[in-house]
Amino acid sequence: QSALTQPASVSGSPGQSITISCTGTSSDVGGYNSVSWYQQHPGKAPKLMIYDVSKRPSGVSNRFSGSKSGNTASLTISGLQAADEADYYCDSYTSSTTLVFGGGTKLTVL
Amino acid sequence: EVQLVESGGGSAQPGRSLRLSCAASGFTFDDYAMHWVRQAPGKGLEWVSGISWDSDSTGYADSVKGRFSISRDNAKNSLYLQMNSLRAEDTALYYCAKGVYYDLGSGFASWGQGTLVTVSS
């Protein structure tokens, strides 16, 4: 159950777009369309932003979008806002009937 | 509105046991898988365990397999985590999370506020 690989940090200016990658293997990210993304602000519980690779829960801004190519999933945030500054985590279902998270990415809005 | 309220956390010595509970409301509990996810202080998220809507399927992280046991009582809208043989590395905030679907195969749609478990001698 190795953690998925995410960049430790990304940054962008207000209004710009950023992309966070999440790399796994054919036994997790590449093998299933079961990748989710979460936003976590300091001291708060995580919030689901994307599920099943690219689906947005009700109430989540359409500035957030997800995609996948091979063993790498991506979260794109467009029209960056100060409120988007947070930690972002991906997760995936695995062939071992488990779930595994990425190490997390700290997004800084400059 | 979905509400998940965890309880049962606290301090324990290494080797001892704790039982966490999660009271769910605001949704049809037995339509969804449920999970426990933990976060050590200053660290990232770690999936601990999950259970399908009907308890037929369960899963555990390697780090807790054989020591922790997940269960649910659909009549009481409650989720549990029995934690035995606790170790210092189990120290974390434990979140109860509602699955996206009825099975284990997807992510976590809603989260509680967490209950803190501290394992120390």
Side-chain angles (χ1 to χ4, degrees):
Chain A
Q1 291 176 351
S2 298
L4 307 177
T5 301
Q6 298 181 233
S9 63
V10 298
S11 62
S13 299
Q16 287 186 331
S17 294
I18 63 96
T19 296
I20 300 172
S21 61
C22 171
T23 301
T25 69
S26 58
S27 295
D28 38 64
V29 174
Y32 304 91
N33 288 323
S34 297
V35 175
S36 301
W37 290 90
Y38 307 87
Q39 176 191 66
Q40 187 179 35
H41 287 109
K44 300 295 187 182
K47 175 186 177 183
L48 179 67
M49 306 303 285
I50 296 287
Y51 68 100
D52 289 354
V53 176
S54 60
K55 297 177 182 177
R56 264 189 319 274
S58 174
V60 172
S61 170
N62 59 9
R63 297 185 300 107
F64 292 83
S65 62
S67 62
K68 189 184 84 167
S69 177
N71 296 337
T72 298
S74 299
L75 172 71
T76 298
I77 308 174
S78 60
L80 210 54
Q81 300 177 359
D84 298 332
E85 186 163 293
D87 293 327
Y88 290 84
Y89 295 89
C90 63
D91 87 68
S92 175
Y93 183 69
T94 83
S95 59
S96 302
T97 323
T98 62
L99 290 134
V100 62
F101 279 100
T105 298
K106 182 177 180 60
L107 169 62
T108 301
V109 180
L110 302 170
Chain B
E1 178 194 3
V2 173
Q3 282 205 317
L4 300 168
V5 180
E6 303 93 338
S7 60
S11 295
Q13 292 182 324
R16 303 302 291 261
S17 299
L18 280 176
R19 189 191 195 212
L20 305 185
S21 298
C22 171
S25 61
F27 65 102
T28 304
F29 185 70
D30 54 10
D31 276 353
Y32 295 93
M34 295 295 295
H35 302 265
W36 291 98
V37 177
R38 69 184 180 185
Q39 187 168 33
K43 302 297 184 182
L45 300 171
E46 180 187 17
W47 177 79
V48 173
S49 182
I51 186 167
S52 62
W53 69 281
D54 59 358
S55 302
D56 265 6
S57 181
T58 59
Y60 298 91
D62 286 345
S63 57
V64 307
K65 197 173 295 183
R67 299 188 299 122
F68 290 12
S69 178
I70 191 171
S71 61
R72 64 189 294 163
D73 185 336
N74 287 345
K76 295 183 178 180
N77 288 354
S78 294
L79 176 71
Y80 306 101
L81 185 68
Q82 179 66 43
M83 305 188 296
N84 298 331
S85 303
L86 284 164
R87 305 169 180 169
E89 53 264 37
D90 295 320
T91 294
L93 185 65
Y94 283 73
Y95 291 104
C96 168
K98 168 181 170 282
V100 173
Y101 300 119
Y102 60 90
D103 62 10
L104 299 183
S106 199
F108 318 107
S110 302
W111 301 64
Q113 289 304 304
T115 186
L116 184 62
V117 171
T118 303
V119 183
S120 172
S121 54

